[in-house]
């Protein structure tokens, strides 16, 4: 990656395609074409959100924005408590993210900075849990939540999601590599308790890793479908994806309203992504590398 | 600088006060990691054991826990003799291949092109390809549902106009395709959505794999007179193997747990001729609509066994050490 200052960057033999402008052009063409295909569904989502149903399903289909955004929006609100559902999503995502950040940083700190009996196999156990297919547990999960009386309440989702192996692993890696042990020792010599050390020394220094983990957790919670599908039973408690899904179930679907709702749920993610794509991408790949 | 390596063993200095100070230092790590393990035991391990227990019992979730009846392996044999279970497993396998294979066949050249072609626009392009991955399945499936529309869908309209191009047109179908309404097209349609969603993700994995390959290797090979194809064949592919292993494992495990995309694209029902019914969907239906928790639990175990076996096979093909080697870049 780091080219020496002596060599002109564009003509280093490493960039094989640099020698052959034709294949370079071909690969750029391929990338642009693929990129357009990738973006097309998003484009049509916004276009459709501005058309009434009969125009969305007409020939040729609309390819440019129409004038019915407000109608669609009003129709959406008349069919479901959309802002309430969006609020439910936000509430769940924020709570999950906040608790995950706290407990995963705490756990990562313990695994990175302490030596204690059983550390090795406890960490092994933690990593092994990443290999269990999550869908295996759907039925018992639903039953447990039923037994606890947590059906239709957000805590059925955020409490089990408060700490996860991926998050602890990520924080351990970061704390272990970015924070010198001497800082922790110094805090101890100054008489700080272990938790104070965590709060005053570790937390302020783990900002970047927390931002990554926070983003990943937020996006996953915001987009969740299967979990909410099992837990939430009434229109009032639905998260936005669930509510939109029920709108689709109705025989005479108002596709304009549905598209408008979909767009409104996707826009916050697009905004977050516009600001933090780098961080989010890095965070997700480092997670993938372990399971 | 002066820090001795002994730093790694427990606590070096300050015996000062003793008492509470030592106590809290000794137990702090256990307290700090306990939330995860508590949650894991309650919501991770316990359900698995409960699932095993359930799978050998007959039980309707509606009735009380006392109504559980031990039935031995009957739930397993019932599943194994249920044609719909086999159909769902077949659908899942076909979908996993139809959606898995193209993902990698597209993602590897894309990652290669990005790695070679553009240094400056790299993060921008990567972000665009990655966008589908962070968007909710519900949103995506709803959009594609309209794009797939038979008479008025964008996809058919586009194919139609491509068909009208003089020479190349012959490559494209003359008639409209009833994407989600005809048995033969249900699975390819679902697969297309999944491919669209995960190509960027895989591309990213491969990109970080490619960037971990030192450039000097290519330079040395070029000096030795290796052609580009030879470089790809003898440097890129072997060194990318751990990444391929990882990516294939992930799409295998993901592919066999498909639920959301087929569920929404077929409106929860499985589509024409149940071609879009995956095993997880069937399990969910068995539990939710048929109220048979034991049968559903046994189904989960059967699927778990299938996934385990496939992972083993994959491990054999693409070689072990994958996980640790693929630390890859960043």
């Amino acid at each position: 990656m780091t080219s020496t200052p002596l060599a002109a960057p564009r003509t280093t033999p490493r960039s094989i395609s640099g020698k052959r402008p034709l294949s370079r052009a071909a690969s750029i063409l391929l990338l642009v074409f693929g990129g357009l295909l990738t973006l097309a569904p998003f484009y049509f989502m916004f276009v459709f959100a501005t058309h009434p149903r009969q125009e969305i399903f007409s020939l040729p289909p609309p390819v440019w924005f129409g004038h019915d955004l407000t109608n669609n929006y009003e129709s959406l609100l008349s069919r479901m408590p959309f802002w309430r559902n969006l609020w439910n999503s936000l509430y769940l995502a924020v709570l999950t993210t906040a608790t995950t950040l706290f407990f995963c940083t705490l756990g990562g700190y313990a695994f990175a900075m302490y030596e204690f009996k059983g550390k090795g196999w406890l960490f092994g156990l933690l990593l092994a849990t990443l290999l269990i297919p999550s869908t295996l547990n759907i039925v018992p999960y639903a039953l447990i939540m039923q037994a606890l009386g947590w059906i239709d309440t957000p805590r059925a989702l955020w409490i089990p999601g408060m700490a996860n192996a991926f998050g602890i692993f990520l924080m351990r890696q970061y704390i272990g590599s970015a924070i010198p042990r001497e800082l922790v020792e110094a805090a101890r010599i100054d008489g700080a308790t272990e938790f104070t050390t965590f709060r005053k020394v570790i937390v302020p220094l783990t900002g970047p890793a927390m931002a990554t983990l926070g983003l990943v957790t937020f996006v996953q919670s915001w987009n969740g479908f299967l979990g909410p599908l099992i837990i939430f039973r009434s229109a009032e408690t639905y998260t936005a994806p669930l509510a939109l899904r029920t709108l689709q179930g109705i025989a005479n679907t108002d596709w304009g309203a549905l598209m408008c709702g979909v767009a409104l749920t996707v826009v916050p993610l697009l905004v977050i992504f516009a600001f933090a794509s780098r961080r989010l991408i890095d965070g997700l790949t480092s997670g993938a590398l372990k399971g | 600088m002066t820090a001795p390596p002994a730093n790694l063993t427990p606590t070096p200095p300050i015996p000062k006060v003793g008492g509470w100070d030592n106590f809290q230092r000794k137990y702090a790590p256990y307290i700090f990691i306990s939330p995860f393990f508590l949650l894991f035991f309650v919501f991770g391990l316990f359900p698995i054991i409960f699932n095993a227990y359930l799978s050998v019992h007959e039980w309707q979730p509606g009735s009380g826990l006392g109504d559980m009846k031990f039935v031995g392996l009957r739930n397993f044999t019932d599943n194994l003799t249920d044609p719909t279970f086999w159909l769902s497993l077949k659908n899942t396998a076909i979908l996993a291949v139809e959606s898995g294979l193209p993902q990698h066949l597209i993602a590897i050249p894309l990652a290669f092109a990005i790695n070679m072609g553009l240094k400056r626009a790299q993060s921008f392009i990567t972000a665009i390809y990655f966008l589908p991955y962070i968007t909710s399945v519900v949103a995506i499936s709803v959009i594609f549902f309209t794009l797939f529309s038979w008479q008025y869908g964008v996809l058919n309209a586009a194919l139609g106009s491509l068909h009208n191009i003089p020479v190349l047109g012959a490559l494209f179908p003359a008639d409209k395709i009833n994407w989600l309404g005809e048995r033969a097209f249900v699975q390819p349609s679902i697969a297309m959505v999944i491919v669209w969603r995960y190509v960027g993700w895989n591309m990213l994995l491969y990109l970080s794999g490619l960037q971990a390959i030192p450039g000097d290797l290519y330079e040395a090979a070029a000096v030795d007179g290796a052609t580009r194809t030879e470089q790809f064949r003898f440097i890129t592919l072997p060194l990318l193997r751990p990444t391929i292993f990882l990516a294939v494992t992930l799409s295998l495990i993901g592919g066999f747990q498909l639920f959301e995309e087929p569920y929404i694209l077929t409106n929860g029902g499985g589509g024409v001729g149940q071609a879009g019914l995956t095993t997880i969907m069937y399990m969910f239906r068995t539990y939710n609509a048929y109220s048979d928790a034991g049968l559903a639990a046994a189904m989960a175990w059967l699927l778990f066994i299938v996934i385990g076996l496939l992972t083993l096979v994959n491990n054999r093909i693409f070689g072990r050490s994958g996980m640790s080697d693929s630390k890859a870049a960043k």
Side-chain angles (χ1 to χ4, degrees):
Chain A
M1 287 302 291
T2 44
S3 52
T4 52
L6 290 174
R10 279 283 154 219
T11 50
T12 45
R14 180 183 323 142
S15 162
I16 297 159
S17 48
K19 277 187 197 162
R20 308 187 183 191
L22 199 67
S23 64
R24 184 183 155 81
S27 55
I28 290 177
L29 205 67
L30 173 84
L31 285 171
V32 170
F33 179 69
L36 288 178
L37 277 185
T38 309
L39 289 180
F42 291 104
Y43 174 74
F44 282 109
M45 169 184 77
F46 287 116
V47 168
F48 288 167
T50 64
H51 286 277
R53 178 181 204 279
Q54 55 278 17
E55 278 174 33
I56 294 174
F57 295 98
S58 64
L59 215 64
V63 289
W64 191 246
F65 300 93
H67 307 284
D68 291 280
L69 183 61
T70 43
N71 286 341
N72 286 339
Y73 175 69
E74 276 156 20
S75 166
L76 175 74
L77 291 196
S78 72
R79 274 155 206 269
M80 55 192 254
F82 182 73
W83 290 105
R84 167 88 215 172
N85 300 137
L86 215 55
W87 164 255
N88 293 341
S89 289
L90 186 69
Y91 176 82
L92 193 59
V94 168
L95 221 51
T96 311
T97 307
T99 48
T100 300
L101 280 182
F102 179 71
F103 287 114
C104 289
T105 311
L106 201 57
Y109 166 53
F111 277 121
M113 289 295 185
Y114 287 88
E115 293 303 325
F116 51 93
K117 224 184 234 172
K119 176 173 159 172
W121 70 264
L122 282 172
F123 194 66
L125 179 64
L126 177 117
L127 289 184
T129 64
L130 284 170
L131 296 175
I132 302 169
S134 53
T135 38
L136 181 68
N137 280 345
I138 294 175
V139 171
Y141 171 74
L143 291 173
I144 290 169
M145 290 309 160
Q146 194 104 49
L148 289 172
W150 287 7
I151 294 292
D152 242 357
T153 62
R155 61 173 171 268
L157 291 169
W158 70 261
I159 290 183
M162 278 196 301
N164 61 72
F166 160 59
I168 292 182
F169 175 74
L170 190 78
M171 295 315 288
R172 170 194 174 259
Q173 298 298 87
Y174 185 82
I175 293 172
S177 66
I179 301 177
R181 264 162 188 268
E182 286 76 10
L183 273 181
V184 176
E185 294 300 336
R188 282 182 186 149
I189 291 168
D190 287 348
T193 65
E194 297 307 302
F195 187 72
T196 313
T197 310
F198 168 73
R199 201 164 52 89
K200 295 247 170 90
V201 178
I202 301 295
V203 169
L205 290 174
T206 43
M210 278 212 214
T212 301
L213 180 61
L215 277 165
V216 173
T217 314
F218 188 90
V219 167
Q220 273 168 2
S221 168
W222 183 265
N223 287 335
F225 180 70
L226 185 53
L229 183 68
I230 293 167
I231 297 303
F232 299 123
R233 302 281 160 82
S234 61
E236 280 294 306
T237 56
Y238 278 169
T239 55
L242 267 191
L244 291 171
R245 153 84 188 103
T246 48
L247 202 59
Q248 186 204 359
I250 302 165
N252 193 6
T253 306
D254 184 342
W255 287 94
L258 185 52
M259 277 300 158
C260 181
V262 166
L264 282 173
T265 345
V266 170
V267 162
L269 287 179
L270 295 184
V271 172
I272 291 177
F273 194 65
F275 286 106
S277 60
R278 185 83 255 165
R279 196 159 280 286
L280 190 65
I281 286 172
D282 286 355
L284 281 164
T285 29
S286 51
L289 293 176
K290 288 284 169 188
Chain B
M1 253 113 283
T2 46
N7 222 356
L8 286 170
T9 46
T11 47
I14 49 150
K16 258 203 306 201
V17 202
W20 194 74
D21 210 41
N22 275 334
F23 176 82
Q24 60 108 10
R25 181 159 308 160
K26 190 162 174 219
Y27 290 100
Y30 295 106
I31 293 167
F32 291 171
I33 62 170
S34 59
F36 168 78
F37 285 98
L38 279 176
L39 289 171
F40 171 68
F41 284 118
V42 178
F43 298 109
L45 193 63
F46 174 66
I48 292 178
I49 296 164
F50 189 39
N51 208 26
Y53 180 78
L54 259 180
S55 67
V56 290
H57 285 79
E58 183 187 298
W59 187 48
Q60 317 266 312
S63 53
L65 279 167
D67 282 354
M68 280 194 162
K69 210 173 88 202
F70 181 75
V71 293
L73 292 179
R74 207 187 71 201
N75 286 325
F76 288 90
T77 51
D78 277 1
N79 271 317
L80 291 173
T81 52
D82 173 9
T84 314
F85 171 74
W86 287 104
L87 175 72
S88 78
L89 203 59
K90 197 181 106 192
N91 290 341
T92 311
I94 294 175
L95 274 175
V97 174
E98 275 182 0
S99 66
L101 213 55
Q103 271 177 46
H104 299 275
L105 294 181
I106 298 171
I108 295 181
L110 271 184
F112 206 67
I114 288 193
N115 197 36
M116 289 304 169
L118 339 101
K119 292 284 180 228
R120 262 176 305 170
Q122 196 166 315
S123 11
F124 179 67
I125 297 263
T126 314
I128 286 181
Y129 278 97
F130 197 69
L131 207 49
Y133 183 81
I134 62 142
T135 317
S136 91
V137 194
V138 176
I140 285 167
S141 307
V142 165
I143 298 162
F144 270 93
F145 202 85
T146 55
L147 298 183
F148 278 138
S149 162
W150 184 15
Q151 292 300 336
Y152 307 110
V154 171
L155 201 59
N156 277 341
L159 286 178
S161 46
L162 284 173
H163 179 73
N164 291 332
I165 297 173
V167 185
L168 282 172
L171 288 170
F172 300 97
D175 295 324
K176 288 183 165 137
I177 295 172
N178 192 357
W179 293 104
L180 293 166
E182 199 175 311
R183 205 179 189 298
F185 292 108
V186 174
Q187 286 164 351
S189 305
I190 297 171
M192 270 166 66
V193 178
I194 298 166
V195 169
W196 177 78
R197 182 151 189 244
Y198 289 99
V199 155
W201 161 254
N202 284 296
M203 187 196 82
L204 200 68
L205 285 182
Y206 288 122
L207 192 58
S208 45
L210 285 173
Q211 287 174 346
I213 301 175
D216 335 4
L217 279 180
Y218 291 109
E219 281 170 32
V223 170
D224 289 348
T227 66
R228 194 134 70 111
T229 337
E230 282 167 343
Q231 290 176 16
F232 183 79
R233 167 86 182 71
F234 294 110
I235 299 176
T236 313
L237 272 187
L239 289 177
L240 207 54
R241 210 166 108 132
T243 316
I244 297 178
F245 171 68
L246 172 75
V248 170
T249 308
L250 287 177
S251 30
L252 206 66
I253 294 174
F256 271 80
Q257 298 186 81
L258 275 180
F259 173 81
E260 300 176 342
E261 289 92 347
Y263 183 83
I264 296 167
L265 283 169
T266 65
N267 223 333
V272 197
Q274 299 290 296
L277 182 76
T278 65
T279 306
I280 295 282
M281 268 171 84
Y282 190 45
M283 181 183 92
F284 186 68
R285 182 188 293 176
T286 305
Y287 169 71
N288 219 31
Y290 307 159
S291 297
D292 200 329
L295 206 57
M299 208 183 293
W301 281 108
L302 289 172
L303 185 66
F304 182 64
I305 292 168
V306 171
I307 295 176
L309 285 177
L310 287 170
T311 315
L312 267 180
V313 171
N314 179 39
N315 204 13
R316 273 290 159 83
I317 297 175
F318 284 108
R320 338 184 317 89
S321 65
M323 284 303 201
S324 49
D325 284 355
S326 63
K327 277 272 68 172
K330 295 172 190 167

